[in-house]
Amino acid sequence: MSERFKYREDREAYSAARVRALEALLIKKGIITDRTVDTVLEFFETKMGPFNGAKIVARAWVDPAFKERLVANAPKAIAELDLPDGMAGAEGEHMRAVANAPGVHNLIICTLCSCYPWPVLGLPPYWYKDPTFRSRAAREPRAVLAEFGLPISEDVEVKVWDSSAQIRWFVVPERPAGTEGLSETELEALVTPEAMMGVAVAKAA
C-alpha cells in the first residue's frame, strides 16, 4: 500500500480500545448485548465479503454473456449466482459493475464518505476513507495509482467512479494472462478486494 496512506503503528490498538469502551457502554445501557458486535463481524467474515466478489468476477471471466449482464444490471446478474441471501442489502443497495479492458482502467472512490459495496468487497479499508485518498484519487488518479504500485500507461484511459448511497461501484478486473486452463474456483483465488477497487490488478496465476 502507498506509504502516503499509512497510519501510526498503534492505530489498531487505539481503535480497538475505543471500540471496547463504546461496546461496554452500549451493553451497560442495554442497547446491545455482549454478542451483537461478534455477530455482525461473523456475518461479514463468513457471509458478506470479498469472497462473494471473487465468485462474481470469476464467473464474468469464464462467461462473457454473464459479464455483459453484470455490467448492464449488476443486482439482476448477481441474483443468478448461488450466493447468500441479502446481497442487495446491508450496503449492497444499487450495486453497479464496471469492467477493465486493454484500453481502460477503472478506479472506485467515494468522495463523500466511505460508500462501499460490502457484500462483494467486505468492509472498507482505512485508507479508502482517508480524505487525502478521496480527494487526490479524484483529482490525480494516475499519481495515486502509481503510489499503490500500479503505474498506468498514458495510452490507457483512467475512469474514476464515485460511489454514493445511491450507487455502489465495483470493478471487474481483467483476467490474468495464462489462466485459460484454470477452473472457475481456481480463478476466484486470483481476485482481491484491491483489484475490485481498481488500485491493483488481479493476481498472476
Side-chain angles (χ1 to χ4, degrees):
M1 184 176 67
S2 169
E3 293 291 321
R4 188 179 294 273
F5 305 114
K6 273 195 169 182
Y7 292 91
R8 46 191 267 188
E9 291 185 1
D10 65 346
R11 181 184 176 95
E12 291 289 344
Y14 176 72
S15 297
R18 293 181 66 186
V19 168
R20 286 195 297 271
L22 179 59
E23 181 182 11
L25 178 62
L26 293 175
I27 291 173
K28 182 178 179 180
K29 290 181 175 292
I31 297 174
I32 65 174
T33 72
D34 58 357
R35 280 287 305 155
T36 301
V37 173
D38 288 339
T39 300
V40 172
L41 289 176
E42 182 181 357
F43 178 73
F44 284 104
E45 287 174 353
T46 62
K47 295 184 182 298
M48 297 292 156
F51 36 84
N52 292 327
K55 291 178 183 295
I56 295 167
V57 169
R59 177 61 59 86
W61 283 348
V62 302
D63 186 342
F66 174 80
K67 182 178 178 179
E68 289 184 7
R69 294 195 298 275
L70 179 66
V71 172
N73 189 328
K76 186 175 181 180
I78 290 171
E80 299 175 18
L81 305 181
D82 184 21
L83 295 173
D85 292 335
M87 289 295 294
E91 305 299 321
E93 304 92 340
H94 316 300
M95 286 192 290
R96 295 286 302 274
V98 287
N100 285 349
V104 178
H105 182 86
N106 296 286
L107 173 64
I108 305 305
I109 63 172
C110 175
T111 54
L112 180 63
C113 53
S114 59
C115 297
Y116 198 71
W118 292 7
V120 297
L121 294 183
L123 301 179
Y126 282 132
W127 54 261
Y128 182 78
K129 312 173 198 176
D130 188 293
T132 301
F133 170 78
R134 286 156 41 195
S135 61
R136 288 192 62 234
R139 188 173 63 252
E140 47 181 356
R142 290 180 187 277
V144 171
L145 289 172
E147 291 168 10
F148 273 86
L150 185 62
I152 302 296
S153 173
E154 288 297 329
D155 62 353
V156 174
E157 181 183 7
V158 176
K159 293 185 177 182
V160 181
W161 303 87
D162 194 1
S163 287
S164 67
Q166 286 71 44
I167 301 177
R168 300 175 190 274
W169 297 96
F170 68 96
V171 174
V172 179
E174 288 190 87
R175 180 173 177 168
T179 60
E180 293 77 9
L182 298 186
S183 68
E184 193 169 329
T185 300
E186 291 171 325
L187 289 171
E188 291 173 18
L190 307 182
V191 184
T192 66
E194 292 78 14
M196 291 184 285
M197 298 169 70
V199 297
V201 295
K203 294 189 291 185

